[in-house]
Amino acid sequence: MPGNVCMSKDIDQHHIWHPYSVMHSELPIYEVASADGVRLTLADSRELIDGMSSWWCMIHGYNHPQMNAALEQQLKKMAHVMFGGLTHEPAKTLSQQLLDITPEPLEKIFFSDSGSVSVEVAMKMALQYWQARRQPQRQCFITLRGGYHGDTFAAMSVSDPDNGMHGLFQSILPKQIFVDRPRCRFGEPCTDDDIAPLEKALKEEQGIAALIMEPIVQGAGGMWFYSADYLKKVRALCDHYDVLLILDEIATGFGRSGKLFACEHAGISPDIMCIGKALTGGYMTLAATLTTASIASTIDQGKPGVFMHGPTFMASPLACAAASASIDLLLKSDWQSNIHRIEQQLERGLAPCRALDQVEEVRVLGAIGVVEMKRAVNMKSITEAFVEAGVWVRPFGKLVYLMPPYIIGDEDLQTLTNVLVETIKIQK
Ligand SMILES: *Cc1c(COP(=O)(O)O)cnc(C)c1O
């Protein structure tokens, strides 16, 4: 019914906020009626190949029979129950799976409902840890420029202060210590010069509770891939200066960079780790913060004797069931060769961009393909061109990138890269 479509567009334009948007935006908003595999079907029946995995989550694609079945089964038992004083099988099963696949010393798990909250929880853990160790002056965090850790207040305080997302709030955010992002690229060694700024900050600054950073891939802060050697040195420095290391694996976790968790590229593990996004295969919102037995027991021994956090929807049974099914699917697939296949095809497919005047650089790692333009793209015209060509790609600033669902076939992936190359060619 055309009338309905029109009405829903109106209510959207006049009453509903979208991420980082204004009401009555000039930018087009497309209504999705359904989705299956790697395809979104719009309300007007057009089909788009999804190059974004719905912000990096839908690793197994949409409407996956096993994912659907897992949720339907759990739904018949219970959709939700509070986690205070109660527990359930989906949380226990998921926890065992996470213990099996995350780096060794991480064995205490705090579930929350979104990535940003898992970062808040990680930062709180670090603060309570130092309180318990009678060093309450340790209240500050050190982080890299170009990072992104979420939109809530503590998460904003450690996200890049200059890239525009959170600048408005700087004056009321806690002041953290920022160090330039590493110049050494993924695959390159890390020299003493590369690590010197971080070492200097750790040596000179007082009151640092933890270093928080995204391992190997800086995501929404600039799609930057840096040296595994740098991360290895970061771990050693944190040990040397007795600073906790929080790794935010929300974007990188569950295979995206070619390892199950990106810290594996460096063969190191954090003291606290955040996961989210692909955790549930994109089906439900769920995140988790993991830490070591020693940090957890230190927190328990300090005041007030408990860890001070507890969201209403903590460890939602439906979300846990989705996460369990997603991890099962991932581990039972040959995900490593699959990510390698996607990586090679992204490399081949995006290579022609290197010859274009508009393009600054092309970089590919795992199932992430990034074309950095010389200038910020025109969101309206580029989005319309992508949709016209039958793909869903959502750039930000100068960055046009692909992070497709892992199940994408060669042909669809080729369509994505071809369209991206052709669309970039006509950008002014
Ligand atoms: C997306 C993201 C977050 C925030 O997660 P939300 O679920 O959007 O709150 C935090 N850190 C990283 C690295 C992310 O990519």
Side-chain angles (χ1 to χ4, degrees):
M1 283 188 292
N4 267 344
V5 172
C6 179
M7 206 168 78
S8 64
K9 188 172 177 230
D10 271 5
I11 193 163
D12 191 286
Q13 273 202 339
H14 293 288
H15 300 283
I16 312 177
W17 257 304
H18 288 260
Y20 289 94
S21 74
V22 293
M23 292 277 167
H24 306 288
S25 168
E26 290 296 294
L27 295 174
I29 292 276
Y30 301 89
E31 183 169 333
V32 181
S34 65
D36 189 81
V38 298
R39 283 182 165 69
L40 309 177
T41 302
L42 299 184
D44 63 10
S45 306
R46 280 185 291 177
E47 283 194 354
L48 307 180
I49 301 173
D50 178 15
M52 297 286 96
S53 304
S54 276
W55 274 337
W56 329 342
C57 306
M58 299 297 304
I59 54 177
H60 311 296
Y62 302 86
N63 201 20
H64 193 290
Q66 274 156 274
M67 291 296 300
N68 291 1
L71 279 160
E72 279 161 17
Q73 272 175 22
Q74 182 53 43
L75 196 50
K76 286 181 196 143
K77 293 181 195 148
M78 69 185 147
H80 182 62
V81 68
M82 65 188 278
F83 213 49
L86 301 174
T87 193
H88 46 77
E89 186 274 331
K92 296 201 294 182
T93 304
L94 173 59
S95 299
Q96 187 57 58
Q97 289 168 302
L98 291 175
L99 292 178
D100 291 345
I101 62 173
T102 51
E104 190 62 27
L106 302 172
E107 52 169 281
K108 310 290 175 184
I109 308 168
F110 191 101
F111 288 109
S112 56
D113 27 31
S114 76
S116 301
V117 173
S118 78
V119 169
E120 301 281 325
V121 166
M123 293 172 75
K124 244 189 206 181
M125 277 181 187
L127 295 175
Q128 277 199 235
Y129 171 82
W130 289 113
Q131 287 273 351
R133 280 193 47 191
R134 296 179 209 280
Q135 298 186 44
Q137 75 283 7
R138 294 242 204 170
Q139 289 185 352
C140 151
F141 292 82
I142 186 164
T143 189
L144 301 181
R145 289 187 187 276
Y148 176 77
H149 297 285
D151 291 350
T152 52
F153 273 80
M156 279 198 288
S157 78
V158 288
S159 298
D160 191 284
D162 302 324
N163 74 2
M165 286 239 231
H166 302 134
L168 178 65
F169 306 106
Q170 281 317 317
S171 61
I172 50 163
L173 291 178
K175 293 271 174 292
Q176 316 292 15
I177 300 160
F178 288 87
V179 168
D180 283 345
R181 70 179 185 188
R183 279 168 304 172
C184 43
R185 309 286 189 116
F186 187 79
E188 293 176 359
C190 167
T191 66
D192 289 347
D193 279 355
D194 292 325
I195 197 78
L198 183 64
E199 171 143 39
K200 184 167 183 284
L202 284 167
K203 197 192 261 172
E204 291 173 2
E205 300 283 352
Q206 301 298 311
I208 300 173
L211 166 55
I212 178 168
M213 60 196 275
E214 296 156 278
I216 305 297
V217 178
Q218 289 189 310
M223 292 284 170
W224 181 255
F225 313 146
Y226 67 85
S227 162
D229 207 18
Y230 181 90
L231 187 54
K232 207 181 279 179
K233 289 186 174 166
V234 164
R235 174 71 273 181
L237 286 175
C238 285
D239 290 340
H240 183 77
Y241 291 101
D242 196 19
V243 160
L244 297 179
L245 176 59
I246 302 173
L247 289 184
D248 178 348
E249 290 261 11
I250 292 167
T252 45
F254 305 98
R256 183 58 72 177
S257 75
K259 300 278 187 192
L260 215 41
F261 296 97
C263 61
E264 294 169 26
H265 287 288
I268 60 122
S269 57
D271 302 300
I272 301 175
M273 181 166 110
C274 300
I275 53 176
K277 288 203 162 90
L279 169 60
T280 65
Y283 264 64
M284 301 284 297
T285 173
L286 182 70
T289 310
L290 292 87
T291 192
T292 63
S294 125
I295 291 174
S297 71
T298 305
I299 290 171
D300 289 350
Q301 284 153 23
K303 273 186 193 161
V306 293
F307 180 59
M308 299 298 280
H309 210 90
T312 306
F313 289 101
M314 187 168 183
S316 145
L318 262 186
C320 289
S324 268
S326 175
I327 292 171
D328 260 347
L329 269 175
L330 183 66
L331 297 182
K332 283 182 184 143
S333 71
D334 187 3
W335 63 270
Q336 265 165 314
S337 359
N338 193 36
I339 300 291
H340 187 62
R341 166 188 70 93
I342 296 173
E343 180 173 47
Q344 291 194 309
Q345 211 184 320
L346 284 172
E347 185 57 56
R348 266 198 314 277
L350 296 179
C353 292
R354 294 206 168 94
L356 302 177
D357 285 343
Q358 299 91 326
V359 172
E360 178 71 32
E361 185 178 89
V362 177
R363 38 187 192 263
V364 173
L365 177 66
I368 314 170
V370 183
V371 179
E372 181 170 338
M373 308 288 286
K374 287 186 180 139
R375 283 196 280 156
V377 298
N378 178 323
M379 275 300 273
K380 182 167 156 48
S381 71
I382 202 168
T383 301
E384 284 168 353
F386 281 135
V387 170
E388 198 62 31
V391 305
W392 182 243
V393 178
R394 192 163 172 83
F396 61 92
K398 295 176 185 172
L399 300 163
V400 188
Y401 70 96
L402 297 174
M403 280 170 96
Y406 300 169
I407 56 150
I408 195 163
D410 292 348
E411 219 170 290
D412 286 337
L413 187 49
Q414 187 162 0
T415 305
L416 275 179
T417 54
N418 287 351
V419 168
L420 196 147
V421 175
E422 294 309 314
T423 307
I424 279 178
K425 268 186 196 161
I426 55 170
Q427 289 300 300
K428 302 260 164 45

